[in-house]
Amino acid sequence: MSDPFDGLRSFDPGLDPPDTRVIRARAQRIRRRRSVELSAGIAVVLAASVFTVFVKGPDTAERQGSRAAPAPTPAEQLGEVALGEAGGSASVAGSPLPPGPAGGATVTSPTTGSVVVTAGRTSSAQRLRIELELSDERATPGIPAVFRLRVCNDGSAEVAVSFPTGQRYDFEVASGRTGALVWRWGAGRTFTQATGTERFPPGCRLVGEESWNGTDQSGRPVGPGTYLVTGILTSSEPRRSATKTICSVTC
Amino acid sequence: MRFSNLRPINPETAPGVSYKEEETPEAAFERFVSERYSRLVGAVSLIVRERHTAEDIVQETFARAYLNWSKLWPEGNPAGWAHRVAVNLALSWRRRATREARALLRLASTNAQSFSIPDVDLHRAVAGLPPRQKAAIAFFYILDLPVEEVAAAMGCRPGTVKSLLHSARGRLRKEMEAP
């Protein structure tokens, strides 16, 4: 009896492989994401300990040592997917905080009264909106498009946000057709490895403004079509703006 | 990323990557991607039934392979590793896809966003298989892997793969014989 699936043996979509630079860029993003997850997990453990010491006293902290925040999620889990990254999906609303350890970690500083957000979902973090503004919806050759990133604190109290490095923001441009990242402002730049904190009082504050001249990471003009722009607050738990579309030459 | 092992591949210890004397790790990775990309996308597309998702899964697979390349090459099995990651990502995607997305995929079974197998009856029959049968079919026929490697990729026993293939063949024969 013939094998009914023999017709599949010659099946080959005949696709050209992507430039390995795209693969390598994606690998860097995976590594950064794992590093942030690990840092966030460690930060939660430390924050929980600090919170316990400040609020409940050292004896309670020792008794509750075994009930501290759970260990960080393992960096690599086969089968756990983070697809559609880097603007691959054209979301309408700003993306929520990535899932983190339950309970989050919010500590109110006894000296300044500001709320320090280090990880997890908290009401303070949710009061921060990340807004992306484009100078133009069309990228014209020779005229750079300007991207502006604003952080808006919709609450009534100052919110402090921690950063793992000197970088405060980033901008990404991805192909609207494939979702593949074509340009990132921060690529190839060096930032100080010192952690830091930024304070956001109520209201909006411009945190970054950069221009894009319609080229990919290697300086070549991108092809005509729709591209997806995302602004990122590169805090310890990165926050992404809503994705906006920009048209290169023709759409 | 630093590649410190700049020595020739031993074809006996590096299955899945063809031998090229004194190849650098970067060149080996580029060739690995170039040789495997299209058919792996074809195989994954059989499982997820959507071209862009299949390409995204395969690119994610190769990105993870790049992060682990110093362990996989020259003395590991990068192809086997990539197959295992790709099938896990594809089956995981299937589990997570919403009911609405699956319904849309069923309605758009011949849309431009999926690859069409030239034989329309075969295309339709494969589309109706359960995900694990599709995975076994995809890796056995499209990637031309032996049962043992399909089993390693799917994380099950060879007997299970044989059972999946047998069930899929039986189902297809029944459909083709139906009036």
Side-chain angles (χ1 to χ4, degrees), chain B residues 51-175:
Chain B
R51 169 184 174 160
H52 293 305
T53 303
E55 289 197 74
D56 196 32
I57 285 173
V58 172
Q59 289 184 22
E60 175 79 11
T61 300
F62 283 129
R64 294 187 188 194
Y66 183 77
L67 288 176
N68 291 281
W69 195 244
S70 56
K71 295 176 210 160
L72 294 173
W73 183 91
E75 288 171 351
N77 180 3
W81 188 94
H83 294 152
R84 193 160 58 247
V85 171
V87 78
N88 280 334
L89 289 175
L91 292 175
S92 176
W93 183 90
R94 283 280 315 188
R95 281 193 298 270
R96 287 168 188 242
T98 62
R99 265 190 208 151
E100 288 79 12
R102 283 201 287 266
L104 283 172
L105 285 173
R106 280 195 293 272
L107 286 172
S109 58
T110 57
N111 67 3
Q113 288 190 325
S114 59
F115 299 116
S116 293
I117 299 168
D119 184 327
V120 175
D121 289 336
L122 183 58
H123 179 103
R124 194 166 43 238
V126 170
L129 295 174
R132 282 177 64 81
Q133 285 185 17
K134 273 194 228 181
I137 293 293
F139 282 74
F140 183 76
Y141 288 96
I142 297 179
L143 294 182
D144 202 22
L145 299 178
V147 167
E148 292 70 26
E149 286 199 40
V150 176
M154 293 181 65
C156 62
R157 291 188 297 232
T160 307
V161 171
K162 289 179 187 171
S163 173
L164 289 168
L165 292 173
H166 178 76
S167 300
R169 288 184 193 119
R171 193 162 162 159
L172 180 59
R173 284 200 186 97
K174 219 179 266 183
E175 283 204 25

Side-chain angles (χ1 to χ4, degrees), chain A:
Chain A
M1 194 183 298
S2 64
D3 190 332
F5 287 115
D6 268 344
L8 288 178
R9 292 192 186 278
S10 57
F11 178 55
D12 185 338
L15 297 174
D16 291 327
D19 192 321
T20 48
R21 282 176 294 186
V22 173
I23 304 290
R24 288 199 293 266
R26 187 162 185 160
Q28 297 297 336
R29 291 198 297 280
I30 295 172
R31 184 189 286 131
R32 270 203 308 277
R33 188 173 66 236
R34 289 173 183 170
S35 169
V36 167
E37 285 169 2
L38 190 60
S39 302
I42 292 171
V44 164
V45 172
L46 290 175
S49 304
V50 165
F51 175 77
T52 306
V53 168
F54 270 116
V55 174
K56 297 199 173 174
D59 290 343
T60 308
E62 286 172 10
R63 284 199 298 273
Q64 292 187 347
S66 62
R67 288 190 281 140
T73 304
E76 178 172 354
Q77 296 180 14
L78 285 181
E80 292 302 315
V81 177
L83 296 180
E85 61 175 21
S89 58
S91 59
V92 176
S95 57
L97 281 171
T106 306
V107 178
T108 302
S109 168
T111 52
T112 65
S114 64
V115 179
V116 179
V117 178
T118 53
R121 277 199 192 90
T122 69
S123 58
S124 308
Q126 288 170 345
R127 285 202 294 272
L128 289 185
R129 274 182 302 111
I130 312 300
E131 287 187 345
L132 171 68
E133 179 190 313
L134 308 184
S135 63
D136 201 338
E137 288 177 351
R138 186 175 291 273
T140 308
I143 304 175
V146 179
F147 304 155
R148 293 187 186 89
L149 192 71
R150 285 192 175 77
V151 174
C152 294
N153 178 356
D154 297 329
S156 56
E158 180 183 84
V159 175
V161 179
S162 60
F163 293 82
T165 67
Q167 185 178 9
R168 294 292 179 263
Y169 61 88
D170 210 344
F171 294 100
E172 290 181 347
V173 177
S175 164
R177 188 178 60 84
T178 66
L181 186 72
V182 298
W183 178 86
R184 187 173 65 84
W185 173 80
R189 293 173 191 272
T190 306
F191 300 95
T192 63
Q193 295 305 299
T195 59
T197 303
E198 295 294 331
R199 298 180 188 283
F200 296 97
C204 291
R205 177 182 144 187
L206 180 70
V207 296
E209 178 177 310
E210 302 297 340
S211 59
W212 179 53
N213 55 4
T215 59
D216 63 14
Q217 212 64 61
S218 52
R220 288 188 301 247
V222 298
T226 303
Y227 291 84
L228 309 173
V229 186
T230 310
I232 304 154
L233 185 70
T234 55
S235 50
S236 297
E237 202 165 43
R239 295 294 310 276
R240 301 173 72 89
S241 71
T243 299
K244 291 195 172 180
T245 55
I246 191 166
C247 177
S248 172
V249 185
T250 58
C251 290

